[in-house]
Amino acid sequence: PPGTQRTPGEGRKNPALAGLLSAIVPGAGQAYLGSNSAYAFLGVEVAAWTAHFSTKATGDAKEKEYKRYADAHWTFDRYRDQNSGDCTVDGHSDGGVQDSTLVMLYNTRRNDWYEDIGKLSIYSCGWDSATNRLKYRDMRHDSNAFLSHARTATSVILLNHLVSALLAARGA
C-alpha cells in the first residue's frame, strides 16, 4: 500500500528453503520461486521413476527366467561325466580346484555361479547342448541390459534432485 515502507529483503525468497524443497521433490523449489522450470524437473522425475520401475521389473523377470533355464539345462552330473556330449576335456570337471570352486559358488554365491556356467568355457560340458548355452547367455545379456537401464534411471533421478536443488537455491 502507498506510504508503507518495505523492509530490506522483503519479497525475497529463502534460498535454503528453495534448495531443500527441490532436493526433496525436484521442481518444488522452482515452483516456490514462481519459475516455470518446475514442470521440467518434475517431468524428468516422473519419466525417470517410470523408466526405473519398468526396466527393473523386466530385468528381474528375465533374471528369474534365465535361472530357471539354467536349472533345467545345466547339471553337475553332466559336467563331471568325462564321457558325456561332444565336449572337449577343458569343458569337463577337473575333479579338483575348478570343481570345488564351482560347488562353493553354487552353495554360497549363486549369482556368480549363474554367471560362470554361461560365461566360462571350462563349465560348458554341464550344458545339455551348446545351443542351450548360447541361448542362456543371450537371456542373461537381456536381463543385465534391462537392469543396467534401471541403474541409469536411478542415476538420472539423483542428478535431477541435485541439479534442481542447486538451481533453486541459486535462483532464490
Side-chain angles (χ1 to χ4, degrees), residues 30-96:
Q30 284 77 7
Y32 165 72
L33 296 172
S35 171
N36 287 335
S37 66
Y39 299 112
F41 286 109
L42 191 56
V44 168
E45 190 75 0
V46 169
W49 277 109
T50 301
H52 168 78
F53 284 123
S54 66
T55 56
K56 176 83 166 80
T58 302
D60 288 344
K62 288 188 172 291
E63 181 177 349
K64 287 178 184 170
E65 184 182 331
Y66 79 67
K67 286 179 177 181
R68 281 192 304 271
Y69 192 84
D71 293 342
H73 295 280
W74 193 97
T75 67
F76 275 101
D77 288 342
R78 203 171 13 258
Y79 168 64
R80 290 178 176 140
D81 182 357
Q82 298 292 328
N83 299 315
S84 73
D86 300 331
C87 289
T88 64
V89 174
D90 291 344
H92 285 288
S93 170
D94 66 351

Side-chain angles (χ1 to χ4, degrees), residues 121-141:
S121 62
I122 59 173
Y123 304 128
S124 62
C125 290
W127 289 96
D128 53 9
S129 74
T131 303
N132 283 337
R133 179 175 177 236
L134 291 175
K135 180 177 178 180
Y136 170 78
R137 290 172 67 162
D138 289 342
M139 293 168 79
R140 265 189 64 85
H141 173 77

Side-chain angles (χ1 to χ4, degrees), residues 13-23 28-30 32-33 164-165 168-169 171-172:
K13 303 288 183 162
N14 183 334
L17 179 58
L20 179 64
L21 289 171
S22 275
Q30 284 77 7
Y32 165 72
L33 296 172
S164 178

